[in-house]
Amino acid sequence: MATINSLQSIPVPLPIFDGTDYDLWEKKMITLFNSQNLGDIVNEPQNTSILNEAQRKELKVKDASALYLIQQSLAQNVFRRITKASTAKDAWDMIRKEFLGDPQ
């Protein structure tokens, strides 16, 4: 379960991805990320060299939150495929590449 917006405490079940219907799971996860102000974490590479220490800490917490949501929303057989990901973007890209293919 996750909560909608950190200011609210309404528990919401996470969409679980078991390897089928990736497109539907992705849409749900994007909505979840956006509702938690985490959409930029999985969609844009983060350049921490231009951030001050407080901003780096905030980014690290946001990244950990997004990675946790990704990990918790995967069935065990899919989660095993991203265990080496150290950031939310890495995990997101690994899943996306495997289930949608490489766009390049």
Side-chain angles (χ1 to χ4, degrees):
M1 294 257 193
T3 58
I4 297 177
N5 195 329
S6 58
L7 300 177
Q8 299 177 19
S9 60
I10 302 169
V12 208
L14 290 172
I16 303 298
F17 180 57
D18 63 3
T20 61
D21 296 319
Y22 173 83
D23 57 329
L24 299 176
W25 174 81
E26 180 185 46
K27 288 182 185 311
K28 291 177 182 181
M29 290 301 291
I30 289 170
T31 301
L32 176 61
F33 291 140
N34 289 336
S35 76
Q36 299 298 303
N37 197 25
L38 299 171
D40 57 330
I41 297 294
V42 296
N43 290 316
E44 302 168 15
Q46 303 298 315
N47 182 358
T48 59
S49 65
I50 61 172
L51 303 177
N52 65 38
E53 187 61 30
Q55 291 170 320
R56 275 195 287 277
K57 282 184 179 183
E58 181 183 345
L59 182 62
K60 189 174 182 178
V61 169
K62 286 177 72 174
D63 184 72
S65 297
L67 181 57
Y68 179 75
L69 289 174
I70 293 169
Q71 291 172 341
Q72 295 304 305
S73 69
L74 300 175
Q76 291 288 72
N77 63 315
V78 181
F79 174 70
R80 291 182 195 289
R81 299 170 184 168
I82 65 152
T83 56
K84 292 184 179 177
S86 58
T87 67
K89 177 137 181 63
D90 289 345
W92 188 252
D93 289 348
M94 286 176 181
I95 297 166
R96 187 164 236 262
K97 182 177 179 181
E98 182 169 344
F99 291 95
L100 279 185
D102 193 349
Q104 288 131 12

